[in-house]
Amino acid sequence: MHTTYTQAARQIRSARLAPIVFAVFFALALTGTVDLAQAGAEDVKVMDAQEVTPNAPTHGPVAPAARGYSPYAGRKYPTRPLFGDTHLHTSNSGDAFMEGNRLDPESAYRFARGEEVVSTSGIPAKLSRPLDFLVVTDHAEGLGVMAQVYEGNPAYMSDPTLARWGQAMKAGGKEAVDTMREVISAQANNELPPALKDPKISGPVMMSVWQRYTDTAEKYNEPGRFTAMIGYEWTSVPGGNNLHRNVLFRDGKDKADQVFPFSAWQSEDPEKLWAWMDVYEKKTGGRMLAIPHNGNLSNGRMFELTDFSGQPLTRDYAERRARWEVLQEIIQTKGNSETNPLMSPNDEFAGDLGVVGWEYGNLTMQDSPLTKEMMPTTYLREGLKRGLEQEAKLGVNPFKFGFVGSTDVHNSLMAIEEDNFFGKHLDQEPNAKRWAQP
């Protein structure tokens, strides 16, 4: 059956559809479906706007509909995902330097921006795509000092332990790694050589390293392309139980250089760190936040229901923790801090990643192995539950936080893709025997 052009045209109700409909009928005419010969000029009617939409306003603003069509209309929050790392160590970190890393913050920033660099083990390395941001978070404790021990600074060589450590670093290999573990244990048990913590000796060294680092961050920061965010790690590890925080500055060198990072050598109590952060903000007008990590190695101390000194939590404590610690690092190379299969027996994914092996002890393997009794105040899921309980009791939730995943690499290279994996430590960089490493 043929349809005339006039009959079809009368079905048009929207001026916006007219071009489409006319195009369709032109195509149908070419195929013989529509008989244009039966249509006369008198059959064609031109409709004005009021006929198309009789009640449409002719002037003035149009009120928005209750539910708009466009999903982007009215959207005023950021929608572009950015990728980077908030936890990375370079040769300025004592443990990284002792195990052989010789790549400084400049190398880390260049690599993160997409440049090719040569790893400490001599392998050319490059990311598949550049990062959008990087926070170099070297340990504040002894920042840059181990390089001075390695080079034989006379102020340190008078101490026999430091002299021995210097020789071990020069020997390299297993001797250097074992000595690095000795240093971590000494810090956890407050047994570091006095010269290392002497502010008259190490203070000027650490301040100069800090200022060179902030110079480097300023150099590679390029708004709109790459953010070189200033930060450091506060490495509290009482008795080997991990209470580390990464401290991030939302500021440039002009403000960051007005202070030297507060370290666990001054206090291992998180409340002392928050107090220092508060002084910084009031002094400089800047802003900071702290990101705890590796609750899985805290042996129940990350979300314990007492403060550092063992006193019950208060509303003041809850307010300050909620103010300064709005994020938690949920996973990194030292395992998964989200949950444990024993706490989430119905979660088929709970034991798949980063749990097995990390329950054998705390960070230094010196305290007791992780027990089920420790787990409710160790893992992040359980921490969220404890926070709700404390909110009902105190009126403020001390454990209300979002999540971030980071690397904690100690070789300056944020290369953790499966086909471009350079590991956490120098001995895990690509080599024939790296998977034999413990």
Side-chain angles (χ1 to χ4, degrees):
M1 181 179 71
H2 290 287
T3 302
T4 68
Y5 175 82
T6 303
Q7 291 170 331
R10 288 171 180 166
Q11 305 303 315
I12 299 173
R13 291 294 182 265
S14 171
R16 289 184 301 172
L17 293 178
I20 298 175
V21 175
F22 274 87
V24 170
F25 283 119
F26 181 73
L28 293 175
L30 293 179
T31 62
T33 305
V34 175
D35 189 354
L36 292 180
Q38 298 180 23
E42 68 279 3
D43 296 317
V44 179
K45 181 179 181 181
V46 178
M47 296 177 289
D48 61 25
Q50 288 299 314
E51 288 181 281
V52 175
T53 312
N55 299 318
T58 56
H59 58 80
V62 178
R67 294 185 62 184
Y69 170 77
S70 173
Y72 310 106
R75 183 177 292 184
K76 298 178 181 179
Y77 51 86
T79 58
R80 177 187 173 191
L82 301 175
F83 297 88
D85 194 0
T86 57
H87 190 177
L88 177 142
H89 295 269
T90 74
S91 58
N92 283 346
S93 286
D95 53 352
F97 186 90
M98 292 190 76
E99 64 183 9
N101 183 13
R102 296 297 181 264
L103 297 187
D104 60 11
E106 181 158 10
S107 299
Y109 283 131
R110 288 179 51 229
F111 183 75
R113 286 167 56 99
E115 295 183 38
E116 182 174 307
V117 303
V118 177
S119 74
T120 297
S121 58
I123 303 171
K126 186 177 182 180
L127 288 172
S128 61
R129 54 151 285 177
L131 301 182
D132 298 305
F133 63 90
L134 176 66
V135 191
V136 171
T137 53
D138 284 311
H139 298 291
E141 299 74 21
L143 184 71
V145 165
M146 281 304 168
Q148 295 292 304
V149 174
Y150 175 84
E151 293 168 6
N153 185 324
Y156 297 117
M157 292 303 98
S158 59
D159 184 290
T161 300
L162 292 175
R164 177 171 59 81
W165 288 354
Q167 290 301 315
M169 285 189 279
K170 289 182 173 66
K174 184 177 184 301
E175 188 173 348
V177 172
D178 288 346
T179 302
M180 180 265 291
R181 291 171 178 160
E182 179 186 342
V183 173
I184 294 174
S185 177
Q187 173 160 321
N189 295 288
N190 197 26
E191 296 173 350
L192 289 171
L196 201 66
K197 298 176 68 173
D198 188 337
K200 294 181 180 179
I201 299 175
S202 293
V205 174
M206 294 191 293
M207 179 57 83
S208 66
V209 172
W210 173 253
Q211 291 177 346
R212 287 200 304 272
Y213 159 58
T214 57
D215 280 339
T216 305
E218 203 80 353
K219 175 182 176 181
Y220 285 96
N221 189 60
E222 188 176 347
R225 180 192 171 196
F226 179 81
T227 298
M229 194 177 297
I230 294 172
Y232 75 92
E233 181 168 344
W234 177 75
T235 322
S236 174
V237 58
N241 297 317
N242 190 96
L243 295 179
H244 299 186
R245 267 82 168 166
N246 291 320
V247 181
L248 278 58
F249 293 71
R250 193 177 180 176
D251 305 304
K253 177 180 175 64
D254 58 330
K255 293 179 180 177
D257 277 0
Q258 295 182 40
V259 297
F260 181 78
F262 183 84
S263 81
W265 286 359
Q266 295 161 276
S267 177
E268 292 186 314
D269 184 347
E271 291 187 77
K272 297 295 194 301
L273 172 66
W274 305 336
W276 176 83
M277 294 168 69
D278 186 53
V279 169
Y280 168 83
E281 290 198 351
K282 290 175 179 175
K283 176 182 178 180
T284 67
R287 294 181 63 186
M288 309 182 91
L289 64 86
I291 306 177
H293 67 85
N294 283 115
N296 62 323
L297 298 176
S298 71
N299 269 11
R301 297 209 62 180
M302 186 60 75
F303 303 109
E304 58 189 348
L305 303 183
T306 60
D307 63 19
F308 192 76
S309 64
Q311 298 301 309
L313 300 187
T314 65
R315 182 184 178 94
D316 176 63
Y317 174 98
E319 288 175 342
R320 285 181 292 127
R321 182 156 180 168
R323 161 69 176 83
W324 298 109
E325 299 185 356
V326 297
L327 292 171
Q328 281 266 349
E329 194 174 283
I330 194 169
I331 194 167
Q332 57 127 292
T333 54
K334 291 203 300 292
N336 159 36
S337 291
E338 181 179 358
T339 191
N340 186 286
L342 293 178
M343 302 306 296
S344 304
N346 298 321
D347 185 345
E348 60 186 302
F349 300 107
D352 279 358
L353 182 64
V355 174
V356 176
W358 294 106
E359 74 273 27
Y360 297 153
N362 60 7
L363 184 63
T364 59
M365 301 295 288
Q366 292 176 310
D367 203 351
S368 64
L370 181 68
T371 65
K372 189 172 182 179
E373 289 70 32
M374 297 175 182
M375 292 181 186
T377 53
T378 290
Y379 292 99
L380 272 60
R381 284 192 195 176
E382 299 303 312
L384 292 171
K385 296 177 185 177
R386 302 290 87 76
L388 294 174
E389 293 170 358
Q390 290 297 301
E391 183 176 20
K393 179 180 179 181
L394 303 173
V396 177
N397 186 344
F399 309 137
K400 184 178 181 179
F401 46 78
F403 306 118
V404 60
S406 298
T407 66
D408 193 16
V409 295
H410 277 58
N411 60 2
S412 306
L413 304 176
M414 208 294 285
I416 56 170
E417 297 164 296
E418 291 183 352
D419 64 346
N420 194 28
F421 184 72
F422 275 69
K424 173 183 172 70
H425 297 290
L426 187 63
D427 60 1
Q428 295 171 344
E429 291 188 359
N431 67 79
K433 299 181 179 180
R434 67 169 168 172
W435 298 118
Q437 301 296 328

